[in-house]
Amino acid sequence: AILPADMTGADSNASFPAETCANCGAPLTDAYCPRCGQSRAELKRPIIGLFTEALDGVFTWDGRLLSTFRQLFSRPGQVAREFVDGRRRSYTPPIRLYLIVSLVFFAAMAISGIRIVAVNITADEAGEAGLFITLFQPPRDGAPVILSEEMQQQVLTQAEDNNISSQIQELVLLAMNNPDVVEERAAAAASQAMILMVFVFALLSAILHPRRRLIEHAVHALYFHAALLLPFAAIIISAIYLPLPLWAGIGLAVTTVLLMAGMILAFDRGFYGSSWLGGALRLLPLLLGYVTAAVFVALGLILFTAI
């Protein structure tokens, strides 16, 4: 007599249709590849899957980490492409890599003493007071200047005369009395602002490549920013601590913009398979949209998250 399949166990893998592993090409008969061990699960899942995957051992040393990071520069865009296409076993997942790189970025800022958001207060002998809040400044030389009540009122009066909102006036008052607190709060919020820029980049990419799934754009954006952050940190530290003449500072700024544009174009071609012309045509709106969003995110970081 022939027993039903569910009694013999002969068809215990019937729920898995015949296919091959996207990573190594071996025939699949179970939930994991028998040759390389990669999960059979495809990338066709909610975007939240990227975050739950990253939380699984995000701080565990991964032997693929250095190899993945190196290939972000030697094969821009192709790491994300292969990860999306299923060859994921060879690469550190995008969320995990981004989190590690962002931790290194903020550690570099802290060790170098660079203030991500800097509050600078001035007061001259004529009784004129000023308050300036800027990004990426060297450490403060000595204790912060604390204005007298009369000078603080002068600054607030000027703000009111210029129709500055009450919320910003509250920030100004806090910054005049506790500049270190404002800097610490804003620096703590900077990581959230950078994550927001990842989503902005993914959404801009989705607009320019509407036929792709959102999770693909998210993977692309995470790997792109993982490659971007450390060169960005090196440029910031160099610009602040190297004694550059004016022409060299301008050259560094131009080089930074060109580097950003080159990375966007290279990653676009590697991930989406764009032609040089197609990538160049999408470069300008993506770069302008990203820079514009960065300005608003920076303003939000300075004006609101520090309160």
Side-chain angles (χ1 to χ4, degrees), residues 9-295:
D11 288 340
S12 60
N13 295 316
S15 59
F16 298 108
E19 58 179 296
T20 59
C21 174
N23 186 59
C24 68
L28 291 175
T29 57
D30 210 331
Y32 294 89
C33 174
R35 180 184 296 171
C36 70
Q38 176 172 282
S39 171
R40 188 192 194 101
E42 297 183 358
L43 207 64
K44 298 177 181 178
R45 51 183 172 160
I47 195 170
I48 192 66
L50 288 175
F51 295 91
T52 56
E53 182 181 61
L55 293 176
D56 180 18
V58 65
F59 295 110
T60 303
W61 175 255
D62 188 342
R64 301 168 295 177
L65 178 64
L66 295 180
S67 173
T68 303
F69 188 73
R70 176 181 56 80
Q71 291 185 69
L72 291 180
F73 298 95
S74 63
R75 302 168 60 235
Q78 295 183 38
V79 171
R81 180 75 268 157
E82 293 187 0
F83 188 90
V84 167
D85 288 343
R87 295 184 289 276
R88 303 187 297 276
R89 190 72 178 175
S90 302
Y91 305 111
T92 300
I95 280 281
R96 183 181 302 173
L97 183 63
Y98 171 79
L99 290 177
I100 292 172
V101 171
S102 64
L103 286 174
V104 175
F105 174 86
F106 286 108
M109 294 296 102
I111 293 173
S112 63
I114 292 176
R115 295 177 291 164
I116 296 176
V117 170
V119 177
N120 296 312
I121 303 171
T122 61
D124 58 26
E125 296 178 356
E128 294 292 332
L131 173 68
F132 305 93
I133 302 180
T134 54
L135 297 175
F136 300 114
Q137 296 296 318
R140 182 182 290 109
D141 186 13
V145 175
I146 302 298
L147 301 177
S148 64
E149 292 185 7
E150 181 181 350
M151 287 185 173
Q152 290 187 21
Q153 187 58 48
Q154 175 188 325
V155 173
L156 293 175
T157 300
Q158 291 177 353
E160 187 174 353
D161 292 341
N162 291 323
N163 296 320
I164 302 299
S165 69
S166 59
Q167 188 175 20
I168 297 179
Q169 290 185 43
E170 291 179 9
L171 171 59
V172 170
L173 183 60
L174 176 62
M176 288 189 294
N177 288 281
N178 298 283
D180 290 336
V181 172
V182 172
E183 292 181 355
E184 290 171 3
R185 292 181 182 177
S191 60
Q192 302 172 25
M194 296 187 72
I195 291 176
L196 180 58
M197 291 307 303
V198 174
F199 282 102
V200 168
F201 190 88
L203 290 176
L204 289 172
S205 299
I207 293 172
L208 296 172
H209 298 275
R211 296 184 180 180
R212 306 278 184 173
R213 292 170 293 148
L214 182 58
I215 193 172
E216 294 186 45
H217 302 302
V219 170
H220 172 56
L222 286 163
Y223 277 128
F224 173 80
H225 282 82
L228 178 68
L229 285 181
L230 295 190
F232 184 48
I235 290 172
I236 293 172
I237 294 173
S238 299
I240 290 176
Y241 285 105
L242 293 180
L244 299 176
L246 178 60
W247 64 267
I250 295 175
L252 182 61
V254 173
T255 300
T256 301
V257 174
L258 293 178
L259 175 64
M260 179 79 174
M263 288 184 65
I264 291 176
L265 180 58
F267 273 76
D268 184 273
R269 282 177 46 77
F271 183 73
Y272 297 107
S274 304
S275 64
W276 283 107
L277 178 60
L281 290 175
R282 282 185 288 268
L283 173 61
L284 184 59
L286 181 57
L287 185 59
L288 289 178
Y290 186 86
V291 171
T292 302
V295 171

